[in-house]
Amino acid sequence: MFIVVGLVIAFILVAIYARPKMRNCRWREDRGASTPSQTAFRCAFCGARAFTSDGKPPLDCLRNTPQS
């Protein structure tokens, strides 16, 4: 019984804290395009590119945003 309750609680927590905007994104650092002030990232799933100043990958999927 404890296992079933634990599984239900785990499922609810995953549903609450899952980020659907990031479900398929796999951000990889692109060191060739990075500059000293910005880090370049490329999504291995959709091909989107992004630059961040803190060195961390983007938090949202950029699949539907226009790329320059």
Short mmCIF file of all heavy atoms in Angstrom, two decimals:
data_model
loop_
_atom_site.label_atom_id
_atom_site.label_comp_id
_atom_site.label_asym_id
_atom_site.label_seq_id
_atom_site.Cartn_x
_atom_site.Cartn_y
_atom_site.Cartn_z
N MET A 1 0.81 -1.20 0.00
CA MET A 1 0.00 0.00 0.00
C MET A 1 0.86 1.26 0.00
O MET A 1 0.53 2.23 -0.67
CB MET A 1 -0.92 -0.04 1.23
CG MET A 1 -1.89 1.09 1.28
SD MET A 1 -3.02 0.97 -0.12
CE MET A 1 -3.95 2.43 0.11
N PHE A 2 1.97 1.22 0.76
CA PHE A 2 2.86 2.38 0.82
C PHE A 2 3.49 2.66 -0.54
O PHE A 2 3.73 3.82 -0.89
CB PHE A 2 3.95 2.18 1.87
CG PHE A 2 3.41 2.22 3.27
CD1 PHE A 2 3.46 1.10 4.08
CD2 PHE A 2 2.87 3.39 3.78
CE1 PHE A 2 2.97 1.14 5.36
CE2 PHE A 2 2.37 3.44 5.07
CZ PHE A 2 2.42 2.31 5.87
N ILE A 3 3.76 1.63 -1.28
CA ILE A 3 4.35 1.79 -2.61
C ILE A 3 3.39 2.50 -3.55
O ILE A 3 3.77 3.40 -4.29
CB ILE A 3 4.78 0.42 -3.18
CG1 ILE A 3 5.91 -0.16 -2.33
CG2 ILE A 3 5.21 0.54 -4.63
CD1 ILE A 3 6.31 -1.56 -2.71
N VAL A 4 2.13 2.12 -3.51
CA VAL A 4 1.13 2.75 -4.36
C VAL A 4 0.97 4.22 -4.00
O VAL A 4 0.93 5.09 -4.88
CB VAL A 4 -0.22 2.00 -4.25
CG1 VAL A 4 -1.30 2.74 -5.01
CG2 VAL A 4 -0.08 0.57 -4.73
N VAL A 5 0.91 4.54 -2.73
CA VAL A 5 0.77 5.93 -2.30
C VAL A 5 2.01 6.72 -2.71
O VAL A 5 1.92 7.85 -3.19
CB VAL A 5 0.55 6.01 -0.76
CG1 VAL A 5 0.61 7.44 -0.27
CG2 VAL A 5 -0.77 5.36 -0.39
N GLY A 6 3.18 6.13 -2.55
CA GLY A 6 4.42 6.80 -2.96
C GLY A 6 4.46 7.06 -4.45
O GLY A 6 4.90 8.13 -4.89
N LEU A 7 4.01 6.12 -5.26
CA LEU A 7 3.97 6.30 -6.71
C LEU A 7 2.99 7.40 -7.11
O LEU A 7 3.27 8.20 -8.01
CB LEU A 7 3.62 4.99 -7.41
CG LEU A 7 4.72 3.94 -7.42
CD1 LEU A 7 4.19 2.64 -8.00
CD2 LEU A 7 5.91 4.42 -8.20
N VAL A 8 1.85 7.45 -6.45
CA VAL A 8 0.86 8.50 -6.75
C VAL A 8 1.43 9.86 -6.39
O VAL A 8 1.32 10.82 -7.17
CB VAL A 8 -0.46 8.22 -6.00
CG1 VAL A 8 -1.39 9.42 -6.08
CG2 VAL A 8 -1.14 6.99 -6.56
N ILE A 9 2.07 9.98 -5.25
CA ILE A 9 2.67 11.26 -4.84
C ILE A 9 3.78 11.65 -5.82
O ILE A 9 3.88 12.82 -6.22
CB ILE A 9 3.18 11.17 -3.39
CG1 ILE A 9 2.00 11.08 -2.44
CG2 ILE A 9 4.06 12.37 -3.05
CD1 ILE A 9 2.38 10.81 -0.99
N ALA A 10 4.61 10.70 -6.21
CA ALA A 10 5.69 10.99 -7.16
C ALA A 10 5.11 11.46 -8.50
O ALA A 10 5.63 12.41 -9.10
CB ALA A 10 6.55 9.76 -7.36
N PHE A 11 4.06 10.83 -8.98
CA PHE A 11 3.44 11.23 -10.24
C PHE A 11 2.88 12.65 -10.15
O PHE A 11 3.04 13.45 -11.07
CB PHE A 11 2.33 10.24 -10.61
CG PHE A 11 1.63 10.60 -11.88
CD1 PHE A 11 2.22 10.40 -13.10
CD2 PHE A 11 0.35 11.18 -11.84
CE1 PHE A 11 1.57 10.73 -14.28
CE2 PHE A 11 -0.30 11.52 -13.00
CZ PHE A 11 0.31 11.29 -14.22
N ILE A 12 2.26 12.97 -9.05
CA ILE A 12 1.69 14.31 -8.87
C ILE A 12 2.81 15.35 -8.82
O ILE A 12 2.71 16.41 -9.45
CB ILE A 12 0.83 14.37 -7.59
CG1 ILE A 12 -0.45 13.53 -7.79
CG2 ILE A 12 0.47 15.80 -7.22
CD1 ILE A 12 -1.27 13.32 -6.55
N LEU A 13 3.90 15.07 -8.13
CA LEU A 13 5.01 16.01 -8.07
C LEU A 13 5.66 16.22 -9.43
O LEU A 13 6.01 17.34 -9.79
CB LEU A 13 6.05 15.53 -7.05
CG LEU A 13 5.61 15.61 -5.59
CD1 LEU A 13 6.66 14.99 -4.68
CD2 LEU A 13 5.35 17.05 -5.19
N VAL A 14 5.81 15.16 -10.19
CA VAL A 14 6.38 15.29 -11.54
C VAL A 14 5.45 16.12 -12.42
O VAL A 14 5.90 16.98 -13.18
CB VAL A 14 6.63 13.90 -12.16
CG1 VAL A 14 6.92 14.00 -13.64
CG2 VAL A 14 7.79 13.22 -11.45
N ALA A 15 4.16 15.90 -12.31
CA ALA A 15 3.20 16.67 -13.11
C ALA A 15 3.22 18.15 -12.74
O ALA A 15 3.07 19.02 -13.59
CB ALA A 15 1.79 16.10 -12.93
N ILE A 16 3.42 18.45 -11.47
CA ILE A 16 3.43 19.84 -11.02
C ILE A 16 4.72 20.53 -11.44
O ILE A 16 4.71 21.65 -11.94
CB ILE A 16 3.26 19.92 -9.49
CG1 ILE A 16 1.84 19.50 -9.11
CG2 ILE A 16 3.56 21.33 -8.98
CD1 ILE A 16 1.63 19.35 -7.61
N TYR A 17 5.85 19.88 -11.26
CA TYR A 17 7.14 20.53 -11.48
C TYR A 17 7.73 20.32 -12.87
O TYR A 17 8.77 20.89 -13.18
CB TYR A 17 8.15 20.06 -10.43
CG TYR A 17 7.81 20.58 -9.07
CD1 TYR A 17 7.32 19.74 -8.09
CD2 TYR A 17 7.95 21.92 -8.78
CE1 TYR A 17 7.00 20.22 -6.84
CE2 TYR A 17 7.62 22.42 -7.53
CZ TYR A 17 7.14 21.56 -6.57
OH TYR A 17 6.82 22.05 -5.34
N ALA A 18 7.10 19.54 -13.71
CA ALA A 18 7.59 19.35 -15.07
C ALA A 18 7.43 20.64 -15.86
O ALA A 18 6.44 21.35 -15.71
CB ALA A 18 6.84 18.21 -15.75
N ARG A 19 8.39 20.94 -16.69
CA ARG A 19 8.32 22.14 -17.52
C ARG A 19 8.01 21.72 -18.95
O ARG A 19 8.91 21.30 -19.67
CB ARG A 19 9.64 22.90 -17.47
CG ARG A 19 9.94 23.41 -16.08
CD ARG A 19 11.19 24.19 -16.06
NE ARG A 19 12.32 23.39 -16.54
CZ ARG A 19 13.54 23.85 -16.69
NH1 ARG A 19 13.82 25.08 -16.41
NH2 ARG A 19 14.49 23.07 -17.12
N PRO A 20 6.76 21.83 -19.40
CA PRO A 20 6.42 21.38 -20.75
C PRO A 20 7.15 22.16 -21.83
O PRO A 20 7.38 21.64 -22.91
CB PRO A 20 4.92 21.59 -20.84
CG PRO A 20 4.48 22.27 -19.62
CD PRO A 20 5.61 22.31 -18.66
N LYS A 21 7.56 23.40 -21.55
CA LYS A 21 8.28 24.18 -22.55
C LYS A 21 9.67 23.61 -22.81
O LYS A 21 10.29 23.93 -23.81
CB LYS A 21 8.41 25.63 -22.11
CG LYS A 21 7.11 26.38 -22.10
CD LYS A 21 7.35 27.81 -21.72
CE LYS A 21 6.07 28.60 -21.78
NZ LYS A 21 6.29 30.00 -21.44
N MET A 22 10.18 22.81 -21.91
CA MET A 22 11.53 22.28 -22.05
C MET A 22 11.56 20.77 -22.25
O MET A 22 12.60 20.16 -22.20
CB MET A 22 12.34 22.60 -20.79
CG MET A 22 12.68 24.04 -20.64
SD MET A 22 13.86 24.58 -21.85
CE MET A 22 15.29 23.67 -21.33
N ARG A 23 10.44 20.18 -22.52
CA ARG A 23 10.35 18.72 -22.54
C ARG A 23 11.33 18.09 -23.54
O ARG A 23 12.00 17.12 -23.22
CB ARG A 23 8.92 18.29 -22.84
CG ARG A 23 8.74 16.80 -22.71
CD ARG A 23 7.30 16.41 -22.66
NE ARG A 23 6.74 16.83 -21.37
CZ ARG A 23 5.57 17.40 -21.22
NH1 ARG A 23 4.81 17.62 -22.25
NH2 ARG A 23 5.13 17.76 -20.04
N ASN A 24 11.44 18.62 -24.75
CA ASN A 24 12.28 18.00 -25.76
C ASN A 24 13.62 18.70 -25.95
O ASN A 24 14.45 18.22 -26.70
CB ASN A 24 11.54 17.95 -27.09
CG ASN A 24 10.35 17.02 -27.04
OD1 ASN A 24 10.41 15.97 -26.43
ND2 ASN A 24 9.26 17.40 -27.67
N CYS A 25 13.83 19.84 -25.33
CA CYS A 25 15.06 20.60 -25.58
C CYS A 25 16.27 19.92 -24.96
O CYS A 25 16.22 19.43 -23.84
CB CYS A 25 14.94 22.01 -25.03
SG CYS A 25 13.95 23.05 -26.10
N ARG A 26 17.35 19.91 -25.72
CA ARG A 26 18.62 19.36 -25.28
C ARG A 26 19.69 20.39 -25.63
O ARG A 26 20.26 20.37 -26.71
CB ARG A 26 18.94 18.03 -25.96
CG ARG A 26 17.89 16.96 -25.79
CD ARG A 26 17.88 16.43 -24.34
NE ARG A 26 16.92 15.36 -24.19
CZ ARG A 26 15.72 15.52 -23.66
NH1 ARG A 26 15.33 16.69 -23.26
NH2 ARG A 26 14.91 14.52 -23.54
N TRP A 27 19.92 21.35 -24.74
CA TRP A 27 20.85 22.44 -25.02
C TRP A 27 22.28 21.98 -24.89
O TRP A 27 22.67 21.34 -23.92
CB TRP A 27 20.60 23.61 -24.07
CG TRP A 27 19.29 24.29 -24.33
CD1 TRP A 27 18.16 24.18 -23.59
CD2 TRP A 27 18.97 25.14 -25.42
NE1 TRP A 27 17.16 24.93 -24.14
CE2 TRP A 27 17.63 25.53 -25.27
CE3 TRP A 27 19.69 25.62 -26.51
CZ2 TRP A 27 17.00 26.38 -26.16
CZ3 TRP A 27 19.06 26.47 -27.40
CH2 TRP A 27 17.73 26.84 -27.22
N ARG A 28 23.10 22.29 -25.92
CA ARG A 28 24.52 21.97 -25.95
C ARG A 28 25.30 23.26 -26.16
O ARG A 28 24.92 24.09 -26.99
CB ARG A 28 24.86 20.99 -27.08
CG ARG A 28 24.07 19.69 -27.04
CD ARG A 28 24.50 18.85 -25.84
NE ARG A 28 23.84 17.57 -25.84
CZ ARG A 28 22.89 17.21 -25.00
NH1 ARG A 28 22.45 18.06 -24.11
NH2 ARG A 28 22.34 16.03 -25.05
N GLU A 29 26.39 23.42 -25.44
CA GLU A 29 27.20 24.63 -25.59
C GLU A 29 27.93 24.60 -26.92
O GLU A 29 28.50 23.59 -27.32
CB GLU A 29 28.20 24.71 -24.45
CG GLU A 29 29.02 25.98 -24.47
CD GLU A 29 29.97 26.08 -23.30
OE1 GLU A 29 29.89 25.24 -22.39
OE2 GLU A 29 30.80 27.00 -23.31
N ASP A 30 27.90 25.72 -27.62
CA ASP A 30 28.58 25.88 -28.90
C ASP A 30 29.79 26.78 -28.66
O ASP A 30 29.71 27.99 -28.74
CB ASP A 30 27.64 26.50 -29.93
CG ASP A 30 28.24 26.58 -31.32
OD1 ASP A 30 29.40 26.14 -31.49
OD2 ASP A 30 27.56 27.08 -32.22
N ARG A 31 30.93 26.17 -28.35
CA ARG A 31 32.11 26.94 -27.98
C ARG A 31 32.68 27.73 -29.14
O ARG A 31 33.34 28.74 -28.94
CB ARG A 31 33.17 26.01 -27.40
CG ARG A 31 32.73 25.44 -26.07
CD ARG A 31 33.82 24.67 -25.38
NE ARG A 31 33.35 24.25 -24.07
CZ ARG A 31 33.68 23.12 -23.52
NH1 ARG A 31 34.49 22.29 -24.13
NH2 ARG A 31 33.21 22.82 -22.34
N GLY A 32 32.44 27.30 -30.36
CA GLY A 32 32.93 28.03 -31.52
C GLY A 32 32.23 29.35 -31.74
O GLY A 32 32.81 30.29 -32.27
N ALA A 33 30.98 29.47 -31.32
CA ALA A 33 30.21 30.69 -31.51
C ALA A 33 30.16 31.55 -30.25
O ALA A 33 29.63 32.65 -30.28
CB ALA A 33 28.79 30.34 -31.94
N SER A 34 30.72 31.05 -29.15
CA SER A 34 30.70 31.81 -27.90
C SER A 34 31.68 32.97 -27.96
O SER A 34 32.68 32.93 -28.67
CB SER A 34 31.06 30.90 -26.73
OG SER A 34 30.07 29.93 -26.53
N THR A 35 31.37 34.01 -27.21
CA THR A 35 32.25 35.16 -27.07
C THR A 35 32.64 35.26 -25.59
O THR A 35 32.04 34.59 -24.74
CB THR A 35 31.54 36.46 -27.51
OG1 THR A 35 30.43 36.69 -26.65
CG2 THR A 35 31.06 36.36 -28.95
N PRO A 36 33.61 36.11 -25.25
CA PRO A 36 33.98 36.23 -23.83
C PRO A 36 32.84 36.70 -22.93
O PRO A 36 32.78 36.34 -21.76
CB PRO A 36 35.11 37.26 -23.84
CG PRO A 36 35.69 37.16 -25.21
CD PRO A 36 34.55 36.83 -26.11
N SER A 37 31.90 37.46 -23.46
CA SER A 37 30.81 37.97 -22.62
C SER A 37 29.53 37.14 -22.72
O SER A 37 28.66 37.27 -21.88
CB SER A 37 30.49 39.41 -23.00
OG SER A 37 30.06 39.48 -24.34
N GLN A 38 29.40 36.31 -23.76
CA GLN A 38 28.19 35.52 -23.93
C GLN A 38 28.54 34.09 -24.33
O GLN A 38 29.48 33.85 -25.08
CB GLN A 38 27.28 36.12 -25.00
CG GLN A 38 26.64 37.42 -24.58
CD GLN A 38 25.58 37.85 -25.57
OE1 GLN A 38 25.69 37.61 -26.76
NE2 GLN A 38 24.55 38.51 -25.06
N THR A 39 27.73 33.16 -23.83
CA THR A 39 27.89 31.76 -24.16
C THR A 39 26.81 31.36 -25.15
O THR A 39 25.64 31.64 -24.94
CB THR A 39 27.77 30.89 -22.88
OG1 THR A 39 28.67 31.38 -21.91
CG2 THR A 39 28.08 29.45 -23.17
N ALA A 40 27.22 30.70 -26.22
CA ALA A 40 26.27 30.27 -27.25
C ALA A 40 25.80 28.85 -26.95
O ALA A 40 26.58 28.00 -26.51
CB ALA A 40 26.92 30.32 -28.62
N PHE A 41 24.52 28.60 -27.18
CA PHE A 41 23.93 27.28 -27.01
C PHE A 41 23.13 26.92 -28.25
O PHE A 41 22.57 27.79 -28.91
CB PHE A 41 23.01 27.24 -25.78
CG PHE A 41 23.76 27.29 -24.49
CD1 PHE A 41 24.00 28.49 -23.85
CD2 PHE A 41 24.23 26.13 -23.91
CE1 PHE A 41 24.68 28.54 -22.67
CE2 PHE A 41 24.92 26.16 -22.72
CZ PHE A 41 25.16 27.37 -22.10
N ARG A 42 23.08 25.62 -28.56
CA ARG A 42 22.30 25.11 -29.68
C ARG A 42 21.50 23.92 -29.18
O ARG A 42 22.03 23.06 -28.49
CB ARG A 42 23.21 24.68 -30.82
CG ARG A 42 22.45 24.17 -32.02
CD ARG A 42 23.42 23.75 -33.12
NE ARG A 42 22.72 23.16 -34.21
CZ ARG A 42 22.29 21.90 -34.25
NH1 ARG A 42 22.51 21.11 -33.24
NH2 ARG A 42 21.63 21.44 -35.29
N CYS A 43 20.22 23.89 -29.54
CA CYS A 43 19.35 22.78 -29.13
C CYS A 43 19.56 21.60 -30.09
O CYS A 43 19.43 21.76 -31.30
CB CYS A 43 17.89 23.21 -29.13
SG CYS A 43 16.77 21.87 -28.66
N ALA A 44 19.90 20.46 -29.54
CA ALA A 44 20.13 19.28 -30.36
C ALA A 44 18.83 18.71 -30.92
O ALA A 44 18.83 17.98 -31.90
CB ALA A 44 20.85 18.20 -29.55
N PHE A 45 17.70 19.07 -30.33
CA PHE A 45 16.41 18.54 -30.78
C PHE A 45 15.82 19.35 -31.92
O PHE A 45 15.46 18.81 -32.96
CB PHE A 45 15.42 18.49 -29.60
CG PHE A 45 14.08 17.94 -29.96
CD1 PHE A 45 13.90 16.59 -30.17
CD2 PHE A 45 12.99 18.77 -30.10
CE1 PHE A 45 12.67 16.08 -30.51
CE2 PHE A 45 11.75 18.28 -30.44
CZ PHE A 45 11.59 16.93 -30.64
N CYS A 46 15.74 20.68 -31.74
CA CYS A 46 15.05 21.50 -32.74
C CYS A 46 15.99 22.42 -33.53
O CYS A 46 15.57 23.03 -34.50
CB CYS A 46 13.95 22.33 -32.10
SG CYS A 46 14.53 23.57 -30.94
N GLY A 47 17.26 22.55 -33.10
CA GLY A 47 18.21 23.37 -33.84
C GLY A 47 18.20 24.84 -33.48
O GLY A 47 18.92 25.62 -34.09
N ALA A 48 17.43 25.24 -32.49
CA ALA A 48 17.39 26.65 -32.10
C ALA A 48 18.73 27.05 -31.51
O ALA A 48 19.44 26.25 -30.91
CB ALA A 48 16.28 26.88 -31.08
N ARG A 49 19.09 28.33 -31.67
CA ARG A 49 20.33 28.87 -31.12
C ARG A 49 19.99 29.99 -30.16
O ARG A 49 19.05 30.74 -30.37
CB ARG A 49 21.23 29.39 -32.23
CG ARG A 49 21.72 28.30 -33.13
CD ARG A 49 22.66 28.85 -34.19
NE ARG A 49 23.04 27.81 -35.13
CZ ARG A 49 24.07 27.00 -34.94
NH1 ARG A 49 24.82 27.11 -33.88
NH2 ARG A 49 24.35 26.06 -35.84
N ALA A 50 20.80 30.11 -29.10
CA ALA A 50 20.57 31.15 -28.10
C ALA A 50 21.90 31.54 -27.48
O ALA A 50 22.85 30.75 -27.45
CB ALA A 50 19.62 30.66 -27.03
N PHE A 51 21.95 32.77 -26.98
CA PHE A 51 23.12 33.27 -26.27
C PHE A 51 22.68 33.66 -24.86
O PHE A 51 21.62 34.25 -24.68
CB PHE A 51 23.69 34.51 -26.97
CG PHE A 51 24.37 34.19 -28.26
CD1 PHE A 51 23.66 34.18 -29.45
CD2 PHE A 51 25.72 33.89 -28.29
CE1 PHE A 51 24.27 33.89 -30.64
CE2 PHE A 51 26.35 33.60 -29.50
CZ PHE A 51 25.62 33.59 -30.67
N THR A 52 23.50 33.32 -23.87
CA THR A 52 23.23 33.72 -22.49
C THR A 52 24.47 34.37 -21.91
O THR A 52 25.59 34.06 -22.29
CB THR A 52 22.84 32.51 -21.62
OG1 THR A 52 23.91 31.57 -21.60
CG2 THR A 52 21.58 31.83 -22.13
N SER A 53 24.26 35.28 -20.99
CA SER A 53 25.38 35.97 -20.37
C SER A 53 25.84 35.31 -19.08
O SER A 53 26.93 35.59 -18.60
CB SER A 53 25.01 37.44 -20.10
OG SER A 53 23.89 37.49 -19.26
N ASP A 54 25.03 34.41 -18.53
CA ASP A 54 25.41 33.76 -17.28
C ASP A 54 26.06 32.39 -17.47
O ASP A 54 26.45 31.75 -16.51
CB ASP A 54 24.19 33.63 -16.36
CG ASP A 54 23.08 32.80 -16.96
OD1 ASP A 54 23.22 32.31 -18.09
OD2 ASP A 54 22.04 32.65 -16.29
N GLY A 55 26.19 31.93 -18.71
CA GLY A 55 26.85 30.66 -18.98
C GLY A 55 25.96 29.44 -18.80
O GLY A 55 26.41 28.31 -18.96
N LYS A 56 24.70 29.65 -18.46
CA LYS A 56 23.76 28.55 -18.27
C LYS A 56 22.86 28.44 -19.49
O LYS A 56 22.58 29.44 -20.15
CB LYS A 56 22.91 28.78 -17.02
CG LYS A 56 23.72 28.79 -15.75
CD LYS A 56 22.84 29.04 -14.56
CE LYS A 56 23.67 29.11 -13.29
NZ LYS A 56 22.85 29.44 -12.13
N PRO A 57 22.37 27.24 -19.81
CA PRO A 57 21.48 27.09 -20.96
C PRO A 57 20.16 27.83 -20.75
O PRO A 57 19.76 28.09 -19.61
CB PRO A 57 21.24 25.59 -21.06
CG PRO A 57 21.81 24.98 -19.86
CD PRO A 57 22.66 25.97 -19.16
N PRO A 58 19.46 28.17 -21.84
CA PRO A 58 18.16 28.85 -21.72
C PRO A 58 17.16 28.01 -20.94
O PRO A 58 17.26 26.78 -20.88
CB PRO A 58 17.71 29.01 -23.18
CG PRO A 58 18.95 28.90 -23.97
CD PRO A 58 19.87 28.00 -23.22
N LEU A 59 16.18 28.69 -20.35
CA LEU A 59 15.17 28.00 -19.56
C LEU A 59 13.95 27.59 -20.37
O LEU A 59 13.19 26.74 -19.96
CB LEU A 59 14.73 28.89 -18.40
CG LEU A 59 15.84 29.23 -17.40
CD1 LEU A 59 15.31 30.19 -16.34
CD2 LEU A 59 16.39 27.99 -16.76
N ASP A 60 13.72 28.23 -21.51
CA ASP A 60 12.55 27.93 -22.34
C ASP A 60 12.98 27.43 -23.71
O ASP A 60 14.05 27.78 -24.21
CB ASP A 60 11.68 29.18 -22.52
CG ASP A 60 11.04 29.61 -21.21
OD1 ASP A 60 10.73 28.74 -20.39
OD2 ASP A 60 10.85 30.82 -21.03
N CYS A 61 12.09 26.67 -24.34
CA CYS A 61 12.33 26.22 -25.71
C CYS A 61 12.19 27.41 -26.66
O CYS A 61 11.26 28.19 -26.53
CB CYS A 61 11.34 25.13 -26.08
SG CYS A 61 11.57 24.49 -27.75
N LEU A 62 13.10 27.54 -27.57
CA LEU A 62 13.08 28.65 -28.52
C LEU A 62 12.73 28.17 -29.93
O LEU A 62 13.05 28.82 -30.91
CB LEU A 62 14.44 29.36 -28.52
CG LEU A 62 14.88 29.89 -27.16
CD1 LEU A 62 16.28 30.43 -27.24
CD2 LEU A 62 13.91 30.93 -26.67
N ARG A 63 12.06 27.05 -30.02
CA ARG A 63 11.74 26.45 -31.31
C ARG A 63 10.91 27.35 -32.20
O ARG A 63 11.14 27.45 -33.39
CB ARG A 63 11.00 25.13 -31.08
CG ARG A 63 10.61 24.42 -32.34
CD ARG A 63 9.86 23.15 -32.08
NE ARG A 63 10.20 22.62 -30.76
CZ ARG A 63 9.54 21.67 -30.14
NH1 ARG A 63 8.50 21.15 -30.71
NH2 ARG A 63 9.90 21.26 -28.96
N ASN A 64 9.95 28.05 -31.65
CA ASN A 64 9.02 28.85 -32.46
C ASN A 64 9.39 30.33 -32.51
O ASN A 64 8.60 31.13 -32.98
CB ASN A 64 7.60 28.70 -31.92
CG ASN A 64 7.11 27.27 -32.07
OD1 ASN A 64 7.47 26.60 -33.03
ND2 ASN A 64 6.31 26.82 -31.14
N THR A 65 10.58 30.70 -32.04
CA THR A 65 10.99 32.09 -32.11
C THR A 65 11.83 32.31 -33.37
O THR A 65 12.57 31.41 -33.77
CB THR A 65 11.81 32.51 -30.88
OG1 THR A 65 12.94 31.65 -30.78
CG2 THR A 65 10.99 32.43 -29.63
N PRO A 66 11.74 33.45 -34.00
CA PRO A 66 12.52 33.69 -35.20
C PRO A 66 14.01 33.74 -34.88
O PRO A 66 14.42 34.35 -33.91
CB PRO A 66 12.04 35.05 -35.71
CG PRO A 66 11.13 35.58 -34.68
CD PRO A 66 10.85 34.54 -33.67
N GLN A 67 14.80 33.05 -35.69
CA GLN A 67 16.24 33.01 -35.51
C GLN A 67 16.91 33.98 -36.47
O GLN A 67 16.51 34.11 -37.60
CB GLN A 67 16.77 31.59 -35.77
CG GLN A 67 16.16 30.55 -34.87
CD GLN A 67 16.55 30.71 -33.42
OE1 GLN A 67 17.72 30.91 -33.13
NE2 GLN A 67 15.58 30.67 -32.53
N SER A 68 17.94 34.66 -36.00
CA SER A 68 18.65 35.60 -36.86
C SER A 68 19.88 34.94 -37.48
O SER A 68 20.37 33.97 -37.06
CB SER A 68 19.08 36.82 -36.08
OG SER A 68 19.85 36.45 -34.97
#
